[in-house]
Amino acid sequence: MVITDELELRDLTTQDDLEQCIALQRATWGNDFRELVPPAVLQIAQKVGGIAAGAFEPEGPLVGFVFGLTGVREGRPVHWSHMLAVREDLRDRGVGQLLKLHQRARMQSIGVESVLWSFDPLVARNAHLNLNRLGTTVLEYVEDMYGDNPMSRTDSVIGSDRLVVAWDIAAEAAQAGKPALPTAAPVVSSGGKGAAPDLVDEPAVLVEVPPDIQALKQEAPGAAVEWRKSTRRAFIHYLGAGYAVAGFVRDRHKQHCHYLLRRPDGE
């Protein structure tokens, strides 16, 4: 069920808006989250081309927000989307995508052509949104981007590895959509089940990730750590060898999730 037509999108301007954003940050990343964005920064960013906007229920509370900063990279204006959060009971219902499209429109209006951000490659929900729905391009894999003890429950146990992606908002439409799975592509990661797969030299390979890493960290933290080690090994090897992330594939039941990586000369 998509509820986006029922939501109001607007900037966070009042003290109540800002307090609700702080509460949602804590609900999402934990009360001990040391990277919380304070009200002053949420306000100041909006004065220099940044964004701090929320999705609100009609005459109701904040259910999601997006926050980012605008600057210059290689002589061109660029926007870094730092945070996106949606209330837990409304996830997978289009709210996150709605906020990203709102952010894109705002950045286009001030001449920004590219939006960058990072996400944990083990979070299948985010991979689906970023690669399949928005059509971003993976730039790099960063090991422990925010340190090995980021004081966030979402990064606890497994560290803060991230994929950095770029969203070309100057294009009329990003190349989004789920790719077809090559039938012969080998899986080059595992969750600690048996020996680590060989990092084979094939035109296309699949990096498998668990369907719900957050639940796995609670139920089997040792397995979650093994997933991190295995996927880190695969991403660093293949991206370093020139492979590109061609998309993300999960089955209709969302139980089998794979990144598709292709060699530059691969079919």
Side-chain angles (χ1 to χ4, degrees), residues 90-148:
L90 295 182
R91 293 171 190 166
D92 283 329
R93 294 171 66 180
V95 181
Q97 184 175 2
L98 185 71
L99 285 163
K100 296 303 293 185
L101 296 178
H102 177 70
Q103 181 181 35
R104 179 180 69 180
R106 290 285 295 277
M107 293 305 109
Q108 288 174 327
S109 72
I110 62 173
V112 171
E113 298 181 347
S114 181
V115 179
L116 308 180
W117 66 87
S118 68
F119 73 96
D120 188 333
L122 290 183
V123 181
R125 175 192 292 114
N126 290 350
H128 175 67
L129 170 64
N130 294 332
L131 299 179
N132 297 339
R133 293 197 178 278
L134 300 178
T136 63
T137 299
V138 173
L139 300 181
E140 61 178 323
Y141 184 99
V142 182
E143 184 176 342
D144 275 331
M145 183 167 177
Y146 299 110
D148 57 6

Side-chain angles (χ1 to χ4, degrees), residues 4 8 24 76 81 154 210:
T4 53
E8 176 190 5
L24 184 52
R76 291 179 174 272
S81 182
T154 58

Side-chain angles (χ1 to χ4, degrees), residues 119-230:
F119 73 96
D120 188 333
L122 290 183
V123 181
R125 175 192 292 114
N126 290 350
H128 175 67
L129 170 64
N130 294 332
L131 299 179
N132 297 339
R133 293 197 178 278
L134 300 178
T136 63
T137 299
V138 173
L139 300 181
E140 61 178 323
Y141 184 99
V142 182
E143 184 176 342
D144 275 331
M145 183 167 177
Y146 299 110
D148 57 6
N149 183 29
M151 291 293 289
S152 166
R153 68 184 180 199
T154 58
D155 289 323
S156 63
V157 180
I158 61 173
S160 59
D161 288 21
R162 295 290 188 267
L163 285 175
V164 176
V165 297
W167 193 20
D168 179 10
I169 62 172
E172 289 190 10
Q175 297 300 310
K178 186 170 68 174
L181 266 178
T183 55
V187 177
V188 293
S189 64
S190 71
K193 300 176 181 178
D198 292 334
L199 299 178
V200 294
D201 182 12
E202 295 288 344
V205 296
L206 299 173
V207 178
E208 184 176 5
V209 297
D212 188 344
I213 187 62
Q214 304 303 346
L216 190 64
K217 287 193 299 185
Q218 297 296 320
E219 299 162 5
V225 171
E226 291 305 314
W227 275 112
R228 175 67 87 205
K229 291 178 179 178
S230 181

